[in-house]
Amino acid sequence: MADITRRLAWRHLRGAPTAHIRHHRSGKLLHDGPGLSFWFRALTAALSEVPVDDRELAMTFHARTSDFQDVAVQATVTYRISDPALASARLDFSVDPDTGVWRGAPLEQLGTLLTETAQQHALAVLARTPLASALVDGVTAVRERIAAGLDTEPRLPATGIEVVAVRVMALRPEPEVERALRTPAREQIQQEADKATYERRAVAVERERAIAENELDSQIELARREEQLVDQRGTNARREAEEHAAADGVRAEAEATRTVRLADAEAARSVRLARAEAEGSREVGDARAYAQAAWLRVHADVDVATLNALTGTRLAENLPNIDSVTISPDVLTGLLARLGAGGGEAGA
């Protein structure tokens, strides 16, 4: 929209670089070009503002495929007005000299023209295409058909319109049909997911089995080594016991030899001692016998009274010491009686 300011009966217009301004007065073209700025009188001026920038026209329409399925087409057409003079002559781009607002709706007319032309060619190509093919390759086919149809449309060049680009974003079936079409794919994806899950579980089970087998092999190897260790320990124990037994045998033999030697020495010493004791006893006996014989020979010629005296003396020598003698009256009486009797006999 042009920027117009008021100064009494005069108006000042300042256009944008992307807007082509055409100023007529009394049927004569005074100003023509983009980004103009000039003064004019509102009562005698006829102004047109034609946008020359690229414009995007989004469109959504429904079509039917060859198998009678409805699809929604989402597309965008980029266009621009390449001939502003021709466009202003074919469409109403006039603006109010006081406000700068379009008096008509030229862009809506262009949008309707482009939408109907694109829809016509899209319907033509989709009407010969089944739904499955349209969903797979329909975007490219529809885009190419719309672009070709707009290039060959005679009204667009005659209006000064140039199509820059055509884009088709999506072809969407009805929600129920889309869900029905998604079901097999979802089932297949689910099956593949289940298959991947089962394969992953199988791989995990296989790995667990391999781990268990490795652990079992390790345990078997450990048991075998433990068995070897036990055998080796038993062998070592036997060798040690044999060595200890041999050492004990050597020690016992040495001890027995020493004991035998000691016993032999002790027996020899005992024999010698016994012989010496026997010899001594024999010699003592001989000496005693010789002394006794000599004593007997000495006393053989002695009278009986002398022998009795010697006997009493020997007996007195061998008696223990008597400190005191107690004589009871009975004993004394008997002794006195015996003495009396002895005295009588002696007097007689």
Side-chain angles (χ1 to χ4, degrees):
M1 184 179 66
D3 184 12
I4 298 177
T5 57
R6 303 175 62 178
R7 293 293 185 274
L8 299 177
W10 291 91
R11 305 289 186 272
H12 183 269
L13 183 144
R14 183 173 59 194
T18 57
H20 189 96
I21 304 297
R22 291 175 64 85
H23 176 210
H24 292 81
R25 187 177 62 185
S26 300
K28 184 178 180 180
L29 183 61
L30 299 180
H31 300 90
D32 185 15
L36 299 178
S37 179
F38 55 88
W39 291 92
F40 65 94
R41 294 178 65 87
L43 296 177
T44 60
L47 300 174
S48 297
E49 183 183 12
V50 181
V52 293
D53 57 337
D54 292 348
R55 296 207 167 235
E56 302 285 341
L57 176 62
M59 59 185 71
T60 301
F61 54 88
H62 290 271
R64 181 169 291 182
T65 62
S66 62
D67 49 0
F68 306 101
Q69 298 296 325
D70 291 336
V71 293
V73 182
Q74 297 178 358
T76 300
V77 176
T78 303
Y79 71 94
R80 66 184 179 89
I81 300 175
S82 58
D83 192 346
L86 184 60
S88 62
R90 298 294 300 272
L91 298 174
D92 184 11
F93 283 97
S94 63
V95 297
D96 188 294
D98 291 330
T99 60
V101 178
W102 280 317
R103 290 175 175 174
L107 296 181
E108 294 181 3
Q109 294 177 357
L110 284 177
T112 301
L113 174 62
L114 292 171
T115 300
E116 291 179 352
T117 303
Q119 184 175 358
Q120 176 184 357
H121 295 287
L123 292 176
V125 69
L126 289 175
R128 298 190 301 271
T129 306
L131 179 61
S133 299
L135 294 178
V136 176
D137 301 323
V139 172
T140 302
V142 171
R143 183 181 67 248
E144 293 176 353
R145 182 60 181 273
I146 291 175
L150 293 177
D151 290 339
T152 58
E153 178 62 34
R155 292 185 58 188
L156 297 180
T159 314
I161 306 301
E162 179 183 356
V163 177
V164 178
V166 177
R167 298 188 303 277
V168 178
M169 279 72 71
L171 289 175
R172 301 291 297 275
E174 293 181 349
E176 294 81 3
V177 178
E178 187 174 5
R179 284 194 295 270
L181 292 175
R182 287 178 179 177
T183 301
R186 288 183 176 178
E187 291 295 333
Q188 183 178 0
I189 293 173
Q190 186 64 38
Q191 291 177 1
E192 293 178 356
D194 294 340
K195 182 179 179 181
T197 301
Y198 296 150
E199 291 179 354
R200 185 171 61 253
R201 290 180 180 176
V203 171
V205 170
E206 183 65 23
R207 290 180 178 176
E208 290 179 357
R209 185 185 64 79
I211 293 173
E213 288 182 355
N214 292 334
E215 292 179 353
L216 183 59
D217 293 339
S218 299
Q219 293 178 0
I220 293 174
E221 182 65 21
L222 289 176
R224 186 178 63 80
R225 293 186 178 181
E226 288 180 357
E227 182 180 2
Q228 293 178 355
L229 180 60
V230 170
D231 293 340
Q232 187 63 37
R233 286 179 177 175
T235 303
N236 295 337
R238 285 196 302 272
R239 290 179 180 176
E240 186 176 0
E242 291 175 357
E243 292 178 357
H244 285 313
D248 293 340
V250 172
R251 284 196 297 271
E253 185 177 358
E255 185 68 22
T257 302
R258 187 174 66 82
T259 303
V260 170
R261 291 178 179 177
L262 290 177
D264 293 341
E266 185 67 22
R269 187 174 65 82
S270 298
V271 170
R272 289 194 299 270
L273 182 60
R275 288 178 179 177
E277 289 179 354
E279 186 68 21
S281 297
R282 186 178 60 79
E283 292 179 354
V284 169
D286 293 340
R288 287 180 179 177
Y290 180 77
Q292 187 69 26
W295 186 81
L296 291 177
R297 285 193 303 269
V298 170
H299 294 83
D301 299 332
V302 179
D303 56 0
V304 175
T306 303
L307 292 176
N308 289 332
L310 291 173
T311 299
T313 302
R314 182 62 60 84
L315 179 63
E317 290 178 357
N318 293 324
L319 288 175
N321 294 328
I322 299 173
D323 293 332
S324 62
V325 178
T326 302
I327 300 173
S328 64
D330 297 335
V331 175
L332 182 60
T333 302
L335 290 176
L336 292 177
R338 289 179 179 179
L339 289 176
E345 292 179 357

